[in-house]
């Protein structure tokens, strides 16, 4: 089922949580809503689910207004950050719940329920734990029960609200991969809310970056990484070095750098900032005329990559380089290195 | 064979608990039991099982049970509304619930009697359709309901307040209708507290005296509650008779409280 949000707006008192957001999710797609806390991503998800109602705008499921349908009749499976399992019910009963509460006329038989629950249990790799209570499970297991419970009602849309937010890093990594496999297997339209850019980039077909109730950019993980539409996306997805300055007469003057900027030929200066990622910087022993000299302050070796913290004037530059390059240069704190920029993205306007 | 525990002070606190409970609860009770049999066992049974005493037990038990049950139902609704919703004067309503705790029971009794007497605000219209409240078992039940309400509300309110909203949302998104969500998801979580509230209201009603005597009419065999019968016997200097009735009441109450406590811990285990 496809989802379309049209001009969604939601306020809580004076706070605008979601500000005129439009969004499309295709059938069978996995889309991540990515943003910092307070960006409105969870509110938007809850509006799609029908747990909250929008002040303005529409949610369409397959072109049909979803507000006309009851919460239970929307065909939405919702997975909560803190699992929201029924504490007094076994794993089996938790998963069976959605089938048991159906009106008698469309309720599956006890046998069908049993079969469905056991196939879901094996799907989430929890078959041996059917009789356990939620309190006897680990966080990762609980979240898989919650997912199986949501899938039990055969939802046309699966909505996940920071599903791995409460888990530790290793489990999160594992569940992330598993969720992607599961999605490839079931192909149910899914929307995942997360504040973890790694998670969004790794799992989703498309990423929607949100900030302050607005959509900043919609695109594939590659597009969002390589062609950030706004300074916010640039700095939210991965770490970044910023050079502030101005543009005028077709050139950008950004701190120690001056680069051509033909998009702004006028004489009227505009504030601007240049962004470059740590891995887009090269360091050398010898200088030329297209970079800057900086002093090594700190060296952090992290497996295959090495992070160098350099100082130029009062500014700190983060450089990420390979282990091989580091071994060839052998820099020590206090050394002068020449830093060259492979790319620089310039955004005009105050930020 | 002492094991070191992370929580210190087991020996000390247990010692204090045993001493305190013995001094405050067990000692008076044993004195009462000793006094009740001072007239010999046959005297004890004669006093404890006299027709008048039996009638008072029956009245006290039924009125207390009915009152506690009424409170269980309406107390749940009151606690639900106070814990879940925000509305004007909520704090006032919240404070009103405690009033039966704070009010001297005699004051409550007089107020209720004035209201429900055949000439009172409520008693008059009720009398017109043939229902007599004051000076009947119904009046006793009304008084016991009044004093029992806070027990149910105050035990349930924090538990309802602590329920996770997302669990109910999960149930709703899985297609459960509101009554199904309540019965299958909410009820199991609040039943232990509910039983506790019921037990407390019931226990309080069994021993209640002050608010009842005014509205009861106190006719032997008809509207005389057991605590009043004890008072009557005391006024007649029949100490062993009074204590015999008291001991029987005490034993019966204790057994019932024990049973409800057992039920409660069983349901708490189930919903843990």
């Amino acid at each position: 089922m496809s989802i379309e949000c049209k001009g969604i707006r939601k306020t809580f008192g004076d706070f605008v949580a979601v500000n005129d957001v439009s969004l499309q999710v295709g059938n069978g797609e996995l889309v991540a809503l990515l943003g910092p806390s307070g960006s409105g991503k969870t509110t938007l998800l809850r509006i799609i689910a029908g747990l909250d109602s929008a002040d303005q705008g529409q949610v369409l499921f397959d072109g049909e207004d979803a507000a006309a349908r009851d919460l239970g009749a929307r065909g939405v499976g919702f997975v909560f950050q803190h699992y929201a399992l029924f504490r007094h019910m076994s794993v089996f009963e938790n998963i069976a719940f959605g089938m048991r509460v159906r009106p008698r006329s469309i309720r599956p038989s006890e046998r069908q329920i049993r079969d469905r629950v056991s196939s879901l249990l094996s799907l989430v790799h929890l078959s041996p734990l059917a009789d356990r209570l939620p309190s006897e499970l680990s966080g990762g297991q609980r979240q898989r029960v919650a997912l199986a419970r949501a899938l039990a009602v055969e939802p046309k849309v699966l909505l996940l609200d920071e599903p791995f937010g409460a888990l530790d890093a290793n489990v999160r990594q594992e569940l992330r991969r598993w969720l992607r496999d599961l999605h490839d297997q079931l192909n149910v339209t899914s929307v995942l809310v997360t504040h973890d850019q790694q998670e969004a980039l790794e799992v989703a077909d498309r990423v929607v970056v949100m900030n302050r109730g607005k959509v900043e950019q919609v695109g594939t993980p590659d597009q969002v990484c390589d062609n950030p539409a706004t300074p916010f996306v640039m700095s939210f997805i991965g770490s970044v070095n910023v050079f502030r300055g101005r543009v005028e007469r077709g050139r950008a003057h950004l701190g120690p750098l001056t680069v051509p900027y033909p998009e702004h030929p006028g004489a009227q200066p505009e504030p601007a900032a240049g962004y470059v990622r740590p891995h887009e910087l090269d360091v050398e022993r010898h200088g030329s005329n297209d970079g800057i000299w900086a002093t090594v302050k700190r060296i952090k070796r992290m497996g295959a990559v090495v992070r160098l913290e350099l100082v130029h004037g009062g500014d700190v530059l983060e450089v990420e380089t390979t282990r091989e390059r580091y071994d060839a240069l052998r820099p020590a704190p206090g050394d002068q290195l020449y830093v060259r920029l492979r790319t620089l993205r310039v955004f005009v306007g105050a930020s | 064979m002492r094991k070191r525990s992370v929580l210190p002070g087991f020996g000390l606190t247990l010692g204090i608990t045993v001493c305190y409970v013995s001094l405050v609860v067990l000692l008076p009770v044993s004195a009462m039991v000793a006094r009740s049999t001072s007239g010999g066992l046959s005297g004890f049974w004669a006093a404890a099982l006299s027709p008048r005493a039996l009638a008072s037990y029956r009245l006290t038990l039924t009125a207390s049970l009915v009152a506690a049950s009424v409170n269980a139902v309406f107390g749940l609704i009151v606690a639900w509304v106070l814990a879940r919703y925000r509305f004007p004067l909520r704090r006032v309503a919240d404070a009103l619930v405690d009033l039966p705790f704070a009010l001297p029971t005699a004051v409550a009794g007089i107020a209720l009697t004035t209201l429900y007497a055949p000439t009172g605000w409520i008693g008059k219209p009720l009398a017109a359709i043939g229902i007599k409240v004051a000076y009947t078992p119904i009046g006793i039940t009304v008084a016991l309901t009044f004093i029992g309400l806070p027990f149910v509300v105050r035990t349930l309110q924090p538990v309802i307040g602590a329920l996770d909203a997302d669990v109910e949302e999960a149930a709703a998104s899985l297609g459960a209708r509101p009554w199904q969500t309540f019965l299958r998801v909410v009820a199991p979580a609040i039943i232990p507290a509910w039983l506790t509230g019921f037990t407390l209201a019931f226990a309080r009603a069994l021993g209640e005296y002050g608010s009842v005597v005014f509205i009861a009419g106190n006719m032997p065999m008809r509207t005389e509650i057991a605590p009043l019968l004890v008072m009557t016997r005391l006024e007649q200097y029949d100490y062993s008779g009074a204590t015999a009735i008291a001991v029987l009441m005490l034993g019966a109450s204790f057994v019932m409280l024990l049973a409800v406590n057992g039920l409660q811990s069983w349901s708490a285990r189930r919903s843990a």
Side-chain angles (χ1 to χ4, degrees):
Chain A
M1 188 155 72
S2 68
I3 308 171
E4 187 178 358
C5 298
K6 274 187 180 168
I8 301 283
R9 186 183 161 87
K10 174 82 181 174
T11 53
F12 296 105
D14 291 337
F15 178 70
V16 183
V18 178
N19 192 357
D20 194 24
V21 167
S22 296
L23 188 70
Q24 288 194 318
V25 182
N27 190 18
E29 215 181 1
L30 200 172
V31 167
L33 300 180
L34 173 65
S37 54
S39 60
K41 54 194 192 308
T42 293
T43 307
L44 182 60
L45 191 78
R46 290 175 59 86
I47 289 170
I48 296 174
L51 293 172
D52 276 330
S53 58
D55 298 339
Q56 279 170 35
Q58 270 188 313
V59 178
L60 305 175
F61 284 175
D62 274 341
E64 207 182 300
D65 193 345
R69 303 187 207 181
D70 261 1
L71 182 56
R74 284 195 178 199
V76 163
F78 201 96
V79 176
F80 295 82
Q81 178 174 7
H82 298 292
Y83 329 122
L85 294 176
F86 307 129
R87 282 185 301 157
H88 59 285
M89 293 183 202
S90 66
V91 167
F92 184 97
E93 286 304 321
N94 262 284
I95 299 174
F97 183 87
M99 292 180 272
R100 292 211 193 280
V101 296
R102 284 192 199 162
R104 197 178 297 269
S105 54
I106 55 162
R107 192 185 306 158
S109 70
E110 190 58 29
R111 235 200 102 140
Q112 288 168 313
I113 293 180
R114 255 170 210 292
D115 290 348
R116 177 112 183 98
V117 172
S118 43
S119 75
L120 281 164
L121 277 170
S122 62
L123 183 73
V124 299
H125 311 305
L126 288 175
S127 301
L129 305 181
D131 297 326
R132 297 274 187 93
L133 285 174
S135 56
E136 298 165 332
L137 303 180
S138 71
Q141 290 170 334
R142 285 183 208 187
Q143 197 54 294
R144 282 185 280 158
V145 174
L147 196 57
R149 180 180 70 176
L151 290 171
V153 292
E154 289 166 341
K156 308 212 171 47
V157 171
L158 189 60
L159 304 174
L160 306 112
D161 182 14
E162 305 246 11
F164 312 135
L167 303 172
D168 57 46
N170 287 335
V171 181
R172 204 152 68 204
Q173 184 78 31
E174 182 194 319
L175 279 186
R176 217 184 265 172
R177 211 168 298 142
W178 172 81
L179 177 69
R180 183 66 229 190
D181 289 344
L182 191 74
H183 182 263
D184 292 340
Q185 202 178 328
L186 302 174
N187 251 309
V188 53
T189 310
S190 306
V191 180
L192 166 89
V193 158
T194 178
H195 63 265
D196 179 343
Q197 71 270 14
Q198 212 60 41
E199 189 168 294
L201 299 175
E202 207 177 304
V203 170
D205 297 319
R206 280 195 307 145
V207 177
V208 177
V209 185
M210 290 187 68
N211 183 33
R212 295 185 191 173
K214 286 265 190 196
V215 171
E216 294 265 340
Q217 185 173 10
V218 182
T220 63
D222 283 347
Q223 286 168 344
V224 172
C225 270
D226 299 339
N227 295 307
T230 64
F232 174 82
V233 177
M234 183 78 207
S235 44
F236 191 70
I237 311 266
S239 45
V240 73
N241 295 299
V242 188
F243 301 94
R244 295 190 191 283
R246 64 200 147 75
V247 288
E248 60 183 329
R249 297 178 205 282
R251 300 188 74 75
H253 305 279
L254 305 164
L257 305 165
T258 299
V259 291
Y261 194 73
E263 290 90 333
H264 187 88
Q268 181 69 30
E270 289 270 357
Y275 294 80
V276 59
R277 296 212 183 279
H279 65 87
E280 293 165 338
L281 294 168
D282 286 327
V283 282
E284 285 162 15
R285 285 282 182 193
H286 304 288
S288 50
N289 54 2
D290 55 349
I292 48 176
W293 284 101
T295 313
V296 179
K297 192 178 163 205
R298 214 171 271 136
I299 299 169
K300 288 176 269 182
R301 266 164 288 194
M302 304 158 83
V305 298
V306 179
R307 279 194 167 205
L308 304 174
E309 219 177 285
L310 307 172
V311 186
H312 172 92
D315 300 327
V316 176
L317 274 178
E318 282 256 13
V319 176
E320 207 172 279
T321 187
T322 61
R323 187 63 194 252
E324 290 76 27
R325 186 80 190 126
Y326 170 79
D327 285 339
L329 286 175
R330 283 263 152 226
D335 286 4
Q336 290 276 315
L337 288 179
Y338 195 70
V339 182
R340 295 177 57 194
L341 290 74
R342 264 178 280 141
T343 59
L344 180 71
R345 295 177 192 81
V346 179
F347 292 100
V348 177
S351 61
Chain B
M1 289 301 287
R2 267 184 64 185
K3 277 192 189 159
R4 301 264 329 152
S5 162
V6 192
L7 298 171
F10 171 73
L12 182 65
T13 49
L14 184 72
I16 292 176
T17 306
V18 169
C19 286
Y20 191 78
V21 170
S22 306
L23 199 68
V24 172
V25 181
L26 226 46
L27 195 63
V29 169
S30 353
M32 192 174 74
V33 173
R35 193 74 178 78
S36 70
T37 48
S38 59
L41 259 185
S42 59
F44 173 85
W45 289 120
L49 299 179
S50 69
R52 192 171 161 190
L54 286 178
S56 77
Y57 301 146
R58 201 178 305 125
L59 176 65
T60 307
L61 278 181
T62 22
S64 301
L65 255 178
V66 171
S69 310
V70 169
N71 275 329
V73 174
F74 290 96
L76 171 64
I77 298 173
V78 171
W80 185 270
V81 169
L82 288 178
R84 274 290 164 102
Y85 308 115
R86 294 290 166 270
F87 53 91
L89 298 182
R90 189 183 70 92
R91 292 200 174 280
V92 177
D94 199 44
L96 275 177
V97 169
D98 280 333
L99 221 52
F101 270 146
L103 214 59
T105 48
V107 176
I110 293 165
L112 288 173
T113 312
T114 318
L115 265 184
Y116 286 99
T119 51
W121 290 350
I122 303 180
K124 206 171 185 176
L126 283 177
I129 54 168
I131 300 173
K132 247 188 110 210
V133 177
Y135 318 125
T136 68
I138 303 176
I140 298 172
T141 311
V142 168
L144 295 181
T145 308
F146 175 80
I147 50 116
L149 178 69
F151 293 94
V152 179
V153 177
R154 288 294 175 244
T155 44
L156 273 174
Q157 206 177 342
V159 178
I160 293 172
L163 289 175
D164 290 326
D166 58 2
V167 175
E168 285 163 63
E169 288 175 348
S173 79
L174 290 166
R177 278 146 288 164
W179 60 270
Q180 287 175 312
T181 305
F182 181 80
L183 284 184
R184 286 168 176 264
V185 176
V186 176
I190 61 174
I191 277 178
W194 203 18
L195 280 173
T196 307
F198 174 82
T199 315
L200 289 173
F202 180 58
R204 171 74 201 267
L206 284 178
E208 177 61 14
Y209 170 78
S211 62
V212 178
V213 285
F214 294 95
I215 203 170
N218 308 328
M219 282 166 284
M221 306 300 292
R222 290 198 43 226
T223 59
E224 186 180 48
I225 53 166
L228 180 74
L229 187 57
V230 174
M231 273 305 283
T232 314
R233 291 275 184 261
L234 285 178
E235 278 163 1
Q236 295 161 345
Y237 303 104
D238 179 7
Y239 292 124
S240 52
T243 44
I245 296 167
V247 165
L248 204 81
M249 279 291 289
L250 191 80
S253 311
F254 188 66
V255 169
M256 276 182 291
L257 290 180
L258 213 60
V260 179
N261 271 333
L263 191 66
Q264 187 191 317
S265 70
W266 171 78
S267 77
R269 249 198 326 278
R270 276 197 58 212
S271 63

